[in-house]
Each structure stands twice: as C-alpha cells, then as structure tokens.
C-alpha cells in the first residue's frame, strides 16, 4: 500500500475512532480463550466458570491460522463457530483476532521467502512472529484468510470488535526486498545524494554513496545516522501493515464494532519502557481504541510501576481516550503467582490509569509447547484456585460499580516527551553511555510515580506543549532544531522543563551538533559543556537539595557543565570535577528549565524531581502520600471525582485521607477529608466525591 494512501486512511479513521471510544457502556473483564487447545471437551463448563467469575468477554482466534486454514485455501471455522454460538447464548461478548502473527507450515513450505531475513540470516520455521510483513506471498495469504474469516463471522451477534494481528513489530526484517524498499524510501526523502552523504557523514571510512545503484545493504553499516533512518523506516512498515489490516477489516465490520490492537513494550523479562520497533503514536491512528499488553513482576516485587507506565502510554497515544488492557497476567510465570489481594490491586490499578478493559492471558494453562508454564487464570487441572476465586470478587465489583468507574477521564499537568528517534540515536551509542534510553525514561518515570505525580506521554509531533505545566525530557539525544526551539519557546512562555544528560546532542539525522552542548537548549537552560566522562567515586553535593548522602553516587555518565546564568543546585563531590555543575535550573522568560547532567540514583532522582515539581507549582495534597501508597485520580462520566488509593505493600497502612469528603465505593462507607483511612496489605480504596 502506498504511504500516501495509508495517511489518508488514518485521517478517515481518526473521527470514527474518537466517536467509537465513547460508546462503551460496560467495563470489560475477561480472558483470551483457546477452545482448540483443550485436551477434553469442556466448553460448557468453562462458560459456567466464566459466568461465576463475572467474565463478560473473551478474545479468540488470533493464534490459530493453521487450524482455520489447514491447507491452502481449505478452511475450517468450526472451532470459531462453536465458541461464538456458546458465548452468545451465555451473554459473553467476543473479540475476534486476525490470525496473522503465526504462519502455518504449509504456507512456509510453499513460500520459504516468507520467513524474514535479518542481519543474522533467515529465521527458521517454528516460533511466531518470524515472517517478513512486507512479503508479497505473506500479504496475499494473510489478506485471504482475514477476508475468509470476516465473510464467515461478520454477522454474528456475539462479536463486539476485532483485534488486528498480535503485538506486531517489524521482526528485524532486513532482506533484499526490504533493503530495496528502503532505497526507494531514501530516494524520496533525499533526492540529492550529496546532501544525504553530508547529513549522514558518509565520507567516514569510505562509506560515501555516489549512486543509488550502489546503495549497500544497511545490515552491516557502522553509520549511526543510516542505521537510525533504517529503524525509522522499519517502524513505518509496522504502521503501514496495521493500517492495511484495518482497511480490510473495516470492509466487513459494523459501526458499533471496534478495531483495536494489543501494543507491547520493550521487554526486560516484563514490560519495560518505550517499544523501539513501533511508533505507537503513529500506528494507533487507525485504531478505534488503543489496546495494550502489560506484564509485570508480582509478589514482593509488585510496585504498580509497569501498570502505570503502560497505561499512561496507551491512554496518551489516543489523546487521553480510555484504552483496553487486552493482556495481563493472572498467574503468569511461576515467579508471578500473586499474593492474596494482588490480583484485585492490579485490576483496579489498570482502571485507575484509564483502562476500560482488563483481560487476562489466558483462561486456562496450556498443556504443551512453548508457553506451558505461563499459567492462565485456571491451572492445568482446570479447578478453582485462589487466583480464580479472587477474580470472582473483581468481576462482581466491576459489575456493581460499573457506572461509577467507566469512562474515567484524566487531566494531568505533567508530561514526558518521548521519542523513538531519540531512543534509536541514544541506544546506538549505549556502549558509550552504558545505559539505554529506557533506563533513563524509567528512572525519571518511576521517581514521579513514587511521588504520586501523574503524567501523560507526548511525542515530538505533539503541538500543544502549553497544555502542560511541566514536561520531562529524558535522554533527548536526537531531535530537529524545530522541536528544541519549540521547547525553548514553551519555557519562555511559562512552562517548566526537566532535561536529563544526553539531551540536545544531535540533530534528527543523529549528527552531533558542532556548537557547545547541549546545543539549542543552552538558551533556556543557561549552561554549556564540551567535556564528559564516566564517573568513578563521584557523589553529588548540594546545600539546596536535601540529599541522603548514602544515595548520591553518580553512576555511568557525567557532563562537565558550566553555569552561564543558571543557578547551580548540585555539584560533583570530587577533588577534580567539583567545580562543575551536576544539576542546574534557569529562569528563562516566564518559565524555568532544569538540567541534570549525570545519571543519579533513584533516591536522588526523587529529590531532584521533588524540587522541580515544587518549582512548577504542582506540589499538592497527593504528594502528602508517597510510595508504597499510590494515588490516581480522574473524573467519571457523572462528573464526579474518583480517587484510587493503593497500598503497594505487604503491611496494613493507615493514612490521613487528604482529599475532599466522599464515599468509598468498595465498602460503601463515608470518608471525610483528613480522616483516617485503613488500607489492607495490597489493598485499595476508591473514593467518589463531588
């Protein structure tokens, strides 16, 4: 599909998506369900147990292309039909997934080139998500199976919506056809080869390209600019792919049915940070509702940070609209078996960030293959267990409190400016920085989370910076002049910015600026530096920030900043580097810009951000409570304030409730301002007030 056509489709879908999102009148609580995996016949029994748990939707069909189409152009819809009919009879809604993320054996046998070729060679058949999403044979057969399914089930009354593919990424596809498409992309972006060579610094090591015909594969490049552009191109392949699927599904879907997708994140054994292979802000434009998969540690490691981060990102990519948690764990990995109370805490934490669905992967634990020990809501024996019984309480509460909790809207005053381009540029030199972009993003996000400062996520295309009183800009390594100048203007007009080290360094082509660093933002920050080093035995010292001296170690990276008008908040405690600033703040116009020139500990980061939040005039009643007590707020459809108060600890906590008087919805009891509120271990209170 031509990129121009994709853009027009996105524009057409935006208004429909906005309207669609407000139609939902029931919180969705459910599971992925795979009747085709069952060792015995038990559909009726499963439905009986689902009803007892308050489950009101299931997601099906996204994983079994080889079952739907066991041979070329031969179809079997019986497993879909029987589930659709049974769920409809039971009053359980169904989401149908397009089964395109795992290819059937016969297709790969017929067209071996469907398997993606990465820079390390061609993938071998077996695992999911190893195909080349641009391959013409894959596209032909993917479209055909989608159309066959849609033609067969489009009029079934159980269906409320469709999920496109599953956790789509580009899968590192980089074969000859992808390289050829990249060259065509570059021709359009850079009609003048001389300008491209200069912008990317390709004279280095004789990488200069003198004709389009000799343009080499990018797989072996040592040029960060070229590799970053290739990553941007491949993120665009994902955007186009999902738009292509959306167009097909919309030919059959009905106006009251939604289209969604389950985006995921960088993976560190659990969901962690910005997804490097997908531009969520762009790819989500064709969705009616953004969906997400969020996985996180539990037991003593449960903090709620991944739940909050994933929710803030997913809500923000659709401009604050409510979103679906399509997958999260019930039991999950063996180390994720939740303590009593944690499943409830997690479910309400999703809702508190603006989710209107909580879906577990999956209903029952699978008895063979790769995910045998990624356990579902039920264990391998299908019998009720403590996790399932806790889910029953969640289902009952969601049904009882539906009108109070559905459609939560948030009005946050702080945003994180995140960027895939900055991420790619920074990570290209992670061997220098000894950290990755998401390490810095999560360091600052987690600190604000612990301070109970709620945030949105915006990207460089976001036009209204002035909507926010404070913007945190982590590791903004690669950026156009225009975006940095907009940030300067934002500060001048009264905004507050917090920059971390590694910001403003290079232009959008990952070419380091030749001015004093941090380049254009010097103007607002009132600083300069031209040297940096890896710290050894360096701490922070300050008489303006109250650091705990045990937590002030400087780690990984430090810039030798000279204040040029800025106020120094902290210096390096070191016999040589002590004359340089580590943390500065600068009044610029009506606003203020803070710059943190080194990687600080989590505890020191909290202290630095406390200073920034106070300076921005955002310190409020919520900050009287700190982690493990976390607070989320919003306004429900009735125009009433909702405050979620969570206890992310194994101990009972008694707090002084700092907000307006109201009714605690779970217990029905009245709560007065400044009264004592008891929270059980891993407990939650939900207070509704005028």
């Amino acid at each position: 599909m031509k990129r121009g056509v994709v853009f027009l489709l996105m524009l057409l879908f935006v208004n429909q998506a906005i309207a669609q999102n407000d139609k939902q009148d029931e919180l969705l609580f459910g599971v992925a369900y795979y009747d085709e995996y069952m060792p015995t016949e038990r559909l009726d029994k499963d439905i009986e147990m689902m009803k007892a748990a308050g489950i009101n939707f299931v997601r099906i069909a996204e994983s079994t292309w080889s079952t739907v189409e066991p041979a070329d152009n031969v179809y079997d819809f019986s497993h879909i039909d029987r589930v659709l009919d049974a769920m409809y009879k039971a009053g359980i809604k169904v989401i149908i997934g397009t089964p395109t993320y795992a290819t059937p054996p016969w297709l790969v046998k017929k067209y071996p080139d469907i398997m993606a070729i990465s820079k390390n060679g061609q993938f071998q058949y077996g695992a999911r998500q190893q195909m080349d999403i641009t391959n013409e044979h894959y596209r032909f057969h993917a479209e055909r199976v989608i159309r066959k399914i849609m033609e067969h089930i489009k009029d079934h009354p159980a269906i409320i919506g469709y999920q496109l593919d599953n956790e789509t990424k580009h899968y590192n596809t980089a074969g000859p056809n992808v390289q050829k498409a990249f060259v065509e992309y570059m021709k359009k972006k850079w009609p003048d080869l001389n300008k491209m060579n200069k912008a990317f610094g390709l004279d280095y090591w004789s990488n200069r390209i003198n004709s389009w015909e000799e343009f080499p594969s990018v797989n072996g490049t040592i040029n960060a600019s070229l590799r970053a552009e290739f990553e941007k191109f491949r993120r665009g392949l994902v955007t186009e792919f999902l738009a292509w699927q959306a167009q097909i599904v919309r030919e059959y879907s009905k106006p009251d049915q939604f289209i969604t997708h389950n985006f995921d994140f960088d993976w560190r054994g659990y969901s962690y940070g910005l997804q490097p292979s997908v531009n969520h802000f762009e790819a989500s434009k064709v969705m009616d509702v953004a969906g997400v998969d969020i996985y996180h540690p539990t037991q003593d490691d449960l903090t709620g940070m991944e739940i909050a981060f994933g929710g803030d990102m997913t809500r923000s990519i659709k401009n604050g609209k409510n979103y679906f948690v399509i997958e999260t764990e019930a039991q999950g990995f063996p180390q994720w078996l939740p303590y009593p109370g944690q499943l409830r805490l997690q479910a309400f934490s999703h809702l508190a960030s603006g989710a209107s669905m909580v879906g577990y992967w999956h209903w029952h634990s699978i008895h063979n293959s790769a995910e045998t020990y990624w356990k579902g809501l039920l264990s391998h024996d299908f019998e009720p267990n403590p996790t399932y019984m806790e889910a029953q309480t969640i289902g009952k509460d969601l049904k009882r409190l539906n009108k109070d909790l559905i459609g939560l809207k948030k009005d946050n005053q702080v945003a994180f400016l995140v960027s895939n381009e900055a991420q790619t540029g920074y990570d290209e030199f992670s061997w220098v920085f000894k950290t990755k972009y998401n390490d810095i993003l999560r360091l600052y996000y987690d600190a604000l989370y612990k301070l109970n400062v709620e945030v949105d996520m915006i990207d460089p295309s976001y036009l209204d910076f002035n909507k926010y009183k404070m913007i945190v800009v982590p590791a903004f390594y690669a950026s156009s002049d225009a975006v940095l100048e907009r940030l300067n203007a934002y500060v001048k007009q009264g905004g507050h910015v917090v920059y971390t080290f590694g910001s403003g360094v290079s232009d959008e082509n990952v070419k380091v600026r030749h001015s004093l660093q941090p380049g254009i933002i010097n103007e607002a920050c009132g600083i300069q530096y031209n040297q940096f080093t890896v710290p050894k035995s360096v701490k922070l010292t300050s008489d303006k920030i109250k650091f705990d001296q045990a937590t002030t170690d400087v780690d990984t990276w430090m810039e030798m900043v000279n204040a040029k008008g800025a106020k120094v908040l902290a210096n390096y405690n070191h016999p040589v580097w002590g004359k340089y600033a580590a943390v500065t703040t600068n009044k610029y116009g009506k606003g203020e810009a803070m710059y943190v020139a080194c990687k600080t500990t989590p505890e020191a980061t909290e202290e630095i951000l406390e200073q920034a939040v106070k300076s921005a005039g955002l310190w409020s009643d919520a900050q009287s409570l700190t982690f493990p007590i976390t607070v989320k707020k919003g306004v429900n459809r009735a125009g009433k304030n909702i405050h979620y108060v969570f206890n992310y600890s194994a101990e009972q906590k008694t707090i002084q409730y700092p907000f307006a008087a109201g009714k605690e919805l779970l217990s029905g009891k009245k709560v007065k301002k400044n009264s004592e509120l008891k929270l059980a271990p891993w407990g939650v209170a939900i207070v509704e007030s005028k």
Side-chain angles (χ1 to χ4, degrees):
M1 186 185 296
K2 299 290 185 182
R3 290 183 180 276
V5 176
V6 174
F7 178 72
L8 290 174
L9 284 170
M10 287 180 174
L11 290 178
L12 290 171
F13 295 158
V14 166
N15 287 337
Q16 180 176 345
I18 291 172
Q20 178 74 45
N21 199 257
D22 292 329
K23 292 180 180 179
Q24 186 178 341
D25 58 7
E26 181 181 25
L27 290 167
L28 295 172
F29 183 58
V31 292
Y33 183 65
Y34 305 110
D35 180 58
E36 57 272 30
Y37 297 169
M38 290 292 181
T40 60
E41 168 56 51
R42 55 171 290 117
L43 179 58
D44 291 341
K45 180 63 176 177
D46 285 331
I47 289 175
E48 178 186 332
M49 293 182 73
M50 288 179 188
K51 296 284 284 184
I55 285 173
N56 58 16
F57 89 91
V58 295
R59 181 191 65 163
I60 69 171
E62 88 285 352
S63 294
T64 48
W65 187 346
S66 62
T67 307
V68 172
E69 191 178 6
D72 192 357
N73 212 23
V74 176
Y75 301 95
D76 179 2
F77 303 112
S78 58
H79 67 290
I80 296 177
D81 291 341
R82 71 189 301 268
V83 173
L84 281 173
D85 291 344
M87 294 297 169
Y88 181 66
K89 183 179 178 181
I92 297 174
K93 302 174 174 65
V94 179
I95 299 171
I96 298 283
T98 62
T100 49
Y101 80 112
T103 52
W106 63 260
L107 181 57
V108 176
K109 178 73 172 177
K110 186 174 183 179
Y111 300 110
D113 62 333
I114 280 175
M115 301 304 290
I117 299 173
S118 76
K119 68 178 182 179
N120 298 317
Q122 188 169 30
F123 290 117
Q124 300 300 303
Y125 183 79
R128 64 180 186 173
Q129 297 175 318
Q130 292 188 320
M131 66 283 185
D132 174 5
I133 61 174
T134 73
N135 180 274
E136 61 179 333
H137 303 301
Y138 169 76
R139 284 293 186 100
F140 172 83
H141 287 277
E143 179 171 352
R144 191 175 70 179
V145 75
I146 292 170
R147 290 189 182 278
K148 291 291 185 180
I149 292 172
M150 294 299 298
E151 287 166 1
H152 184 80
I153 53 86
K154 63 183 175 65
D155 293 321
H156 201 288
I159 299 170
I160 59 170
Y162 300 93
Q163 175 188 304
L164 307 177
D165 202 66
N166 184 80
E167 295 181 347
T168 308
K169 292 173 281 293
H170 56 63
Y171 314 129
N172 293 314
T173 186
N177 60 316
V178 176
Q179 298 290 339
K180 182 179 179 181
F182 178 61
V183 173
E184 293 303 311
Y185 161 89
M186 292 295 282
K187 282 181 180 179
K188 292 177 182 177
K189 184 166 184 175
W190 297 95
D192 187 330
L193 263 174
N194 288 326
K195 290 183 178 179
M196 183 198 74
N197 280 300
K198 184 174 180 59
F200 287 12
L202 290 172
D203 286 308
Y204 181 77
W205 279 3
S206 199
N207 278 193
R208 183 179 179 84
I209 301 170
N210 293 305
S211 73
W212 291 110
E213 290 70 28
E214 70 186 37
F215 202 111
S217 167
V218 182
N219 286 335
T221 188
I222 48 81
N223 184 279
S225 302
L226 193 57
R227 189 148 47 206
E229 193 64 45
F230 187 55
E231 284 305 301
K232 184 176 182 179
F233 165 76
R234 293 201 293 187
R235 287 191 291 269
L237 297 180
V238 179
T239 298
E240 184 274 329
F241 177 77
L242 291 172
W244 170 78
Q245 284 215 14
Q247 182 190 28
I248 296 169
V249 172
R250 280 190 204 282
E251 292 180 30
Y252 303 90
S253 65
K254 302 193 182 327
D256 60 347
Q257 294 172 332
F258 58 78
I259 289 178
T260 188
H261 173 75
N262 56 330
F263 292 108
D264 66 353
F265 301 103
D266 188 18
W267 186 254
R268 303 281 181 91
Y270 51 90
S271 303
Y272 189 93
L274 193 65
Q275 170 58 254
S277 297
V278 185
N279 184 328
H280 286 173
F281 293 90
E282 289 297 316
S284 66
K285 288 180 179 177
V286 297
M287 312 299 166
D288 297 317
V289 186
V292 68
D293 294 352
I294 300 175
Y295 292 102
H296 52 84
T298 60
Q299 300 182 15
D300 294 334
D301 296 320
L302 179 62
T303 64
M305 291 174 187
E306 288 75 34
I307 293 173
F309 179 90
D312 289 342
M313 176 62 74
T314 312
R315 184 187 68 250
S316 297
I317 62 177
K318 295 295 283 185
N319 294 313
K321 298 294 180 182
N322 299 120
Y323 60 93
F324 293 161
V325 178
I326 296 176
E327 291 184 22
T328 191
E329 79 255 25
Q331 298 183 77
F333 287 144
Q335 66 269 28
W336 288 353
L337 180 66
Y339 289 157
Q342 287 188 337
L343 198 74
R344 282 177 58 81
L345 178 67
Q346 292 159 198
F348 286 113
S349 293
H350 289 297
L351 298 184
S353 286
S356 57
M357 168 196 288
V358 176
Y360 297 116
W361 200 88
H362 41 112
W363 170 243
H364 77 285
S365 300
I366 297 172
H367 296 80
N368 53 283
S369 200
E371 293 176 314
T372 299
Y373 290 99
W374 189 304
K375 293 182 70 181
L377 193 58
L378 300 184
S379 297
H380 292 102
D381 59 7
F382 302 110
E383 295 296 322
N385 60 55
T387 305
Y388 166 78
M389 289 186 283
E390 192 165 307
Q392 290 181 315
T393 72
I394 300 168
K396 290 176 182 176
D397 282 337
L398 295 188
K399 183 175 182 180
R400 177 171 62 91
L401 301 176
N402 181 75
K403 66 179 180 63
D404 300 296
L405 303 184
I406 195 169
L408 189 74
K409 297 302 177 189
K410 305 180 81 68
D411 184 24
N412 295 328
Q413 302 298 301
V414 179
F416 273 77
L417 178 57
V418 296
S419 163
N420 284 121
E421 287 73 23
Q423 178 183 32
T424 302
Y426 186 91
D427 288 356
E428 189 66 31
F429 297 102
S430 60
W431 61 276
V432 176
F433 293 115
K434 306 300 182 186
T435 54
K436 287 199 167 186
Y437 177 88
N438 280 329
D439 297 317
I440 312 307
L441 171 58
R442 281 296 304 271
L443 175 66
Y444 279 73
Y445 180 89
D446 294 357
L448 284 181
Y449 173 85
K450 286 188 172 183
L451 291 171
N452 279 319
V453 177
E454 293 196 73
V455 304
D456 292 341
M457 302 285 179
I458 57 177
D459 78 335
S461 70
Y462 192 82
L463 297 178
D464 188 15
F465 287 169
N466 291 324
K467 175 183 176 183
Y468 298 99
K469 292 183 179 179
M470 177 172 148
I471 299 177
V472 182
V473 187
F476 205 49
Y477 184 86
S479 173
S480 68
D481 291 359
V483 173
L484 297 179
E485 287 163 355
R486 285 178 55 215
L487 284 166
N488 282 348
Y490 163 76
V491 177
K492 194 171 187 177
Q493 293 162 12
H496 289 246
V497 171
V498 178
Y499 291 104
T500 77
F501 64 95
S503 294
V505 174
S506 76
D507 66 14
E508 67 271 30
N509 298 315
V510 197
K511 185 174 186 177
V512 174
R513 291 182 167 89
H514 54 78
S515 60
L516 283 165
Q517 293 290 4
I520 291 168
I521 62 174
N522 283 346
E523 183 179 338
C525 293
I527 59 170
Q528 292 177 349
Y529 75 89
N530 57 16
Q531 289 189 305
F532 40 78
T533 192
V534 176
K536 185 176 181 180
S537 300
V538 180
K539 294 180 180 289
L540 298 177
T541 181
S542 174
D543 59 2
K544 299 178 178 65
I545 301 176
K546 293 181 180 179
F547 290 124
D548 175 350
Q549 290 302 309
T551 67
T552 60
D553 297 85
V554 175
D555 177 33
T556 305
W557 191 257
M558 58 186 289
E559 295 161 352
M560 309 309 185
V561 165
N562 292 298
K564 297 294 182 179
K567 178 181 179 182
V568 177
L569 297 180
N571 290 89
Y572 300 119
N573 188 359
H574 188 272
V576 176
W577 311 132
K579 64 181 180 180
Y580 295 110
V583 184
T584 63
T585 188
N586 188 55
K587 299 288 186 182
Y588 179 69
K590 298 178 181 178
E592 191 170 344
M594 175 181 281
Y595 191 88
V596 185
C598 57
K599 185 170 180 286
T600 52
T601 64
E603 297 85 357
T605 305
E606 281 186 55
E607 298 291 345
I608 291 167
L609 286 175
E610 177 177 332
Q611 184 98 354
V613 172
K614 288 178 176 177
S615 183
L618 295 173
W619 202 258
S620 66
D621 290 339
Q623 282 67 62
S624 67
L625 304 170
T626 57
F627 188 81
I629 304 301
T630 66
V631 179
K632 299 284 185 181
K633 66 178 179 179
V635 177
N636 67 13
R637 285 184 180 172
K640 294 182 179 179
N641 292 310
I642 300 290
H643 281 93
Y644 287 84
V645 186
F646 302 102
N647 177 15
Y648 270 93
S649 80
E651 299 176 356
Q652 178 175 295
K653 299 287 184 180
T654 299
I655 66 165
Q656 188 175 36
Y657 182 74
F659 307 113
K663 182 176 74 171
E664 201 286 306
L665 296 175
L666 294 171
S667 65
K669 296 179 180 179
K670 292 182 179 180
V671 178
K672 295 181 179 180
K673 182 179 174 65
N674 295 324
S675 64
E676 284 192 349
L677 180 65
K678 291 184 178 180
L679 295 166
W682 312 109
V684 56
I686 310 171
V687 181
E688 182 181 63
S689 60
K690 293 182 180 178

